[in-house]
Amino acid sequence: MTQVSEGSYIGQNVPRSDGHAKVTGAMVYPSDVIVPGMMYGALLRSPYPHAEILSVDTTEAEKMGAVCLTYKDIEPIKYNERSVSIPAATYRDRTVLPDKARHFGEPLMAVAADTQELAYRAVRAIKVEYKVLPAVFEPEEAMKDGAPQLYDKIYLGDEEVAVHNNIGVIRNISEGDCEAGFAKADRIFQESFELGRIYHNQMETKCAVVKPEPDGSITVWATAQSIHANRQLLGRVLGMPLSRINVIKLPFGGAFGSSIQVNTVTPICAYLALKAGRPVKLVSAREEDFYSHQKYPAKFTVKMGVTNDGLITAAHVTALVDFGAHQVQPLPFLGCTAGWFASLYKYEGNIRFDGTAVYTNKTPCCAMQGYGNPQINFAIESMIDIISNEMGFSPVDLRLKNYRGVGDEFWGQGPTIRSIIKSCGVEQSLVEGRQMTDFDHRERPDTKTGDVRRGLGLARGFHCSGTGGPKEGEVIDYSSALVKINEDGSVDLLTPVTDHGGGTWDALRKICAEVLQVPLDLVGLSPAGTMQIGYDVCTHATRGVYCGGAAVYHVAMKVKEKLLEVAGRLMAEHAYNLEVVRSDGLHQGVVQVKDFPAKSMTIGDIAKQAQNMSWGTIAYTDSYRQRNCPPCFTTHFVEVEVDMRTGVITVPKVLIFGDCGNPMNPDLVKGQLVGSFNRGFGYTVFEQLPTNEATGELANKGLLVDYKTPSAMEMPPIKDVEVILCDTYEPTGPFGAKGIGEAALASVQAAISNAVYNAIGIRFHKLPLTPEAVLAAIREREAQSAGATPS
């Protein structure tokens, strides 16, 4: 796409348009919405991990004035909360409210009352008789004959599918000839890795407000990464025409993938509002939100063949995934995980992936910052470090010899979405990072002594920008936009793209301003709902700027064509002989004759004259699909300190390289990279969600008790966090841009773990690296060295 012009806003740090509202508390999020006459909702959640509901008595709750909702009030339409994949490839196993609990904390009934306190009292007054069933919590146990079965049948699209041994999905992918590749290798390595569940920990919990309108329609405000996905699912479960459902786009307090699907509370809230005939607001408490969705845990066995000169000849990954009690698309999760594995290195084209995803009586899992990428990256990048140490290779050189770069094929979210890499910052990040950290001269772990030992580790990663490939119909990925020039020269921009807080909306405004050459403050981001703007699949897959921005670029270019056509009629010139420039002196966009700027008109004057002549508004709306999904790359060089007495890991210094193409706002990109390091640090060292298998309840009782995430005190000093943006330009992106969001997390975990190995010489295959785990490993090694059994 077009290069940026001189003096462009793109690539410049500008104040955020939403900054003042956010820091002053004036910004309205879904949980802030208040509607006159509104009732407050509350949920009765399952006290058991697996139980049938035998009877329900809501008499006492209704005496309090509460409106009660049970599974008997709802048609049991099967659906999947996530609607990114095409329907024929989507498994469906849930209803709005079930007659059987399949995990602790699952919503079973709902009430609405005039106050929140009354709603909670009414929930406690509902009497439920359960038949408690045996539960299963580990995928290996769930797959055994005789294990408790969560489902006998589910649906793939509209086709009924039997479930055997709780196996929800099997995805096996093979390419090339792995056996021949392994036969060519001089050494074969095989290791196993495990990553557990963690909580998204977004700032705003799941929320929905639903208002029945006098004409029979409903207005919805919800925590949503896709307003149209919410509209379409509500239409399905409510049996309501989409023309009667308006989902309003609002900023929300972060997601990290936790709202890629339609959240469980939203259809429940809609049914409550329709039954009550009044607006209803339903907000999850933080402790409830822990049982909403979690990150996919995974267990991997990785086998790699390597020649003596450092060529990786073949790789085979076996994956076992526990996705919990309901499917929020583990099928594409396995495909994506295979794609992340396949696209990190070339492997001489010989790869195999065998994936199995299993039902258990745990909280359902959904996408979280990479959709399998951080999990498989930890395994593969740990393997690269293991091979380097065992065979005496430089970890930098081994990566440089085998990485996929410009001209190589890339799998964007799975084997069916393939494209060619056209921009790549991998080599720059590895070469410069090696020099800046003096990586080749780091000390070996067996030379280090003392109570606190320092290590330096490296890992690289990537993510895709969107999910589109050259072939259509494999996955839903397009966006829409509306651009309108006003009669004073300002511009209205409508987009269905949501903003998670990273500045996506300002990036789209910049794209519009650059195409039309108007001052940025004249581009207004108009309120939008599903009744006002076309479809966007979802703000996920690091696609906001690349895909949503491409739609804005496409539509703005059409508006520019129309503007030049109208200007030509007014100026008695051919449109091709005109150009649009920005006039800072007039604080306007200007159309002028090429090479003769004296003959010109402001954009405002052109729009006003078009109105006076009844030629119409200069506007355009359309949808646009990107036919590529370019990888955005990251590389982390991390220094750690390990206290040999306590097992505590600290990070005194980190160097981060990010390749996002041409950055829309460099400071915001750097902020995303630093923020994602914080999230990855927590994933690696602190966070875990152990389950009490006697009750099915989480051992963690919330953020204030024992779910630890890194605070500013655990982060390295800001002066010791260096972020470098690679010098790349993505030719298929709007003004050379691609994404960064999920890539920013992908390689954090492996980099920290590799640094820990360099510090103390112990390889960890399972996250998190808690002080207890590290100290136990240190004592086990000491006992082995002494020939004794560790206590």
Side-chain angles (χ1 to χ4, degrees), residues 485-500:
I485 295 178
N486 298 314
E487 290 71 30
D488 62 351
S490 63
V491 177
D492 291 326
L493 168 63
L494 275 78
T495 172
V497 174
T498 59
D499 190 329
H500 300 190

Side-chain angles (χ1 to χ4, degrees), residues 630-653:
C632 39
F633 298 97
T634 53
T635 300
H636 287 83
F637 290 84
V638 180
E639 288 188 16
V640 302
E641 288 183 347
V642 182
D643 192 316
M644 303 294 286
R645 301 159 298 182
T646 64
V648 171
I649 297 169
T650 55
V651 177
K653 193 172 185 179

Side-chain angles (χ1 to χ4, degrees), residues 367-425:
M368 181 179 176
Q369 287 181 291
Y371 202 37
N373 201 333
Q375 292 95 315
I376 190 63
N377 184 282
F378 171 69
I380 299 299
E381 285 296 279
S382 293
M383 281 293 286
I384 295 296
D385 207 58
I386 290 168
I387 292 168
S388 299
N389 285 302
E390 287 286 324
M391 298 187 71
F393 299 134
S394 159
V396 174
D397 290 337
L398 185 62
R399 288 174 169 86
L400 287 171
K401 188 178 185 71
N402 292 281
Y403 79 98
R404 293 196 185 211
V406 172
D408 292 320
E409 188 178 68
F410 168 73
W411 295 15
Q413 298 226 350
T416 63
I417 313 297
R418 304 192 182 202
S419 56
I420 302 300
I421 300 173
K422 299 178 180 179
S423 63
C424 175

Side-chain angles (χ1 to χ4, degrees), residues 547-571:
C547 298
V552 172
Y553 179 92
H554 166 73
V555 170
M557 289 294 287
K558 293 293 186 180
V559 170
K560 181 179 177 180
E561 289 178 19
K562 195 170 183 179
L563 172 68
L564 294 179
E565 177 190 346
V566 172
R569 294 168 69 182
L570 292 171
M571 298 168 69

Side-chain angles (χ1 to χ4, degrees), residues 283-324:
V283 183
S284 297
R286 179 64 66 181
E287 291 75 14
E288 292 179 300
D289 206 64
F290 269 82
Y291 293 100
S292 174
H293 302 94
Q294 297 166 5
K295 190 181 185 78
Y296 285 97
K299 297 178 181 180
F300 300 109
T301 298
V302 181
K303 181 180 178 182
M304 283 190 188
V306 189
T307 64
N308 286 333
D309 62 351
L311 182 68
I312 304 174
T313 59
H316 179 197
V317 170
T318 302
L320 179 62
V321 176
D322 158 21
F323 60 79

Side-chain angles (χ1 to χ4, degrees), residues 378-607:
F378 171 69
I380 299 299
E381 285 296 279
S382 293
M383 281 293 286
I384 295 296
D385 207 58
I386 290 168
I387 292 168
S388 299
N389 285 302
E390 287 286 324
M391 298 187 71
F393 299 134
S394 159
V396 174
D397 290 337
L398 185 62
R399 288 174 169 86
L400 287 171
K401 188 178 185 71
N402 292 281
Y403 79 98
R404 293 196 185 211
V406 172
D408 292 320
E409 188 178 68
F410 168 73
W411 295 15
Q413 298 226 350
T416 63
I417 313 297
R418 304 192 182 202
S419 56
I420 302 300
I421 300 173
K422 299 178 180 179
S423 63
C424 175
V426 172
E427 186 169 354
Q428 177 188 348
S429 64
L430 289 171
V431 172
E432 290 186 9
R434 157 191 262 167
Q435 296 170 347
M436 294 173 67
T437 60
D438 197 21
F439 193 84
D440 291 337
H441 297 101
R442 59 182 185 155
E443 296 179 11
R444 300 193 317 271
D446 57 6
T447 66
K448 297 176 183 178
T449 60
D451 290 334
V452 177
R453 301 182 188 179
R454 180 171 288 212
L456 175 61
L458 156 68
R460 55 165 294 261
F462 69 92
H463 204 75
C464 59
S465 307
T467 63
K471 187 177 179 180
E472 298 173 347
E474 294 176 328
V475 69
I476 303 170
D477 194 337
Y478 70 91
S479 191
S480 306
L482 184 153
V483 174
K484 173 170 64 73
I485 295 178
N486 298 314
E487 290 71 30
D488 62 351
S490 63
V491 177
D492 291 326
L493 168 63
L494 275 78
T495 172
V497 174
T498 59
D499 190 329
H500 300 190
T504 304
W505 287 342
D506 277 347
L508 304 191
R509 291 175 58 241
K510 283 186 172 187
I511 292 167
C512 187
E514 178 67 14
V515 171
L516 298 177
Q517 289 294 289
V518 299
L520 183 60
D521 64 339
L522 293 188
V523 179
L525 189 70
S526 302
T530 51
M531 287 183 176
Q532 292 82 37
I533 189 61
Y535 180 83
D536 177 79
V537 60
C538 185
T539 304
H540 78 126
T542 312
R543 68 180 292 279
V545 169
Y546 182 75
C547 298
V552 172
Y553 179 92
H554 166 73
V555 170
M557 289 294 287
K558 293 293 186 180
V559 170
K560 181 179 177 180
E561 289 178 19
K562 195 170 183 179
L563 172 68
L564 294 179
E565 177 190 346
V566 172
R569 294 168 69 182
L570 292 171
M571 298 168 69
E573 292 283 350
H574 290 292
Y576 65 75
N577 198 34
L578 300 176
E579 63 182 353
V580 184
V581 298
R582 190 172 76 240
S583 172
D584 292 330
L586 296 173
H587 199 67
Q588 274 266 7
V590 171
V591 176
Q592 65 184 28
V593 176
K594 293 178 182 177
D595 301 321
F596 188 53
K599 189 175 183 180
S600 64
M601 291 182 69
T602 67
I603 289 176
D605 286 341
I606 296 167

